[in-house]
């Protein structure tokens, strides 16, 4: 999954490369670094307590009200 600067993301639980205390926390993507053959895409994420560099596979998008679809039944 690709993310862009300015997007809010959440660190997934069980992430191997992120500190335990960040799992489940949300932060904002401030920098995107491209991938190569041996290094996956990684992102600099700004959290309340500082910034960390994490792999895209450890992140997910934050759900908001616009992501929810409702079906009206008549």
């Amino acid at each position: 999954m690709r993310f862009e600067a300015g997007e809010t993301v959440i660190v997934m639980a069980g992430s191997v490369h992120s500190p335990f205390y960040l799992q489940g926390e949300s932060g904002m993507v401030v920098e995107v670094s491209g991938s190569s053959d041996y290094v996956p895409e990684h992102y600099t994420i700004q959290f309340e307590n500082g910034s960390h560099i994490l792999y895209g596979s450890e992140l997910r998008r934050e759900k908001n009200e616009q992501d929810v679809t409702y079906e009206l039944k008549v």
Side-chain angles (χ1 to χ4, degrees), residues 15-64:
S15 300
V16 177
H17 299 101
S18 68
F20 180 75
Y21 63 89
L22 283 181
Q23 295 181 15
E25 292 294 317
S26 64
M28 182 182 293
V29 177
V30 292
E31 185 178 355
V32 178
S33 299
S35 62
S36 67
D37 290 340
Y38 303 105
V39 180
E41 209 165 66
H42 50 284
Y43 302 87
T44 303
I45 312 295
Q46 182 66 45
F47 296 96
E48 284 185 25
N49 60 352
S51 61
H52 292 275
I53 297 173
L54 301 171
Y55 293 113
S57 61
E58 300 177 306
L59 304 170
R60 65 179 173 87
R61 284 192 169 79
E62 182 177 55
K63 285 188 178 180
N64 60 32

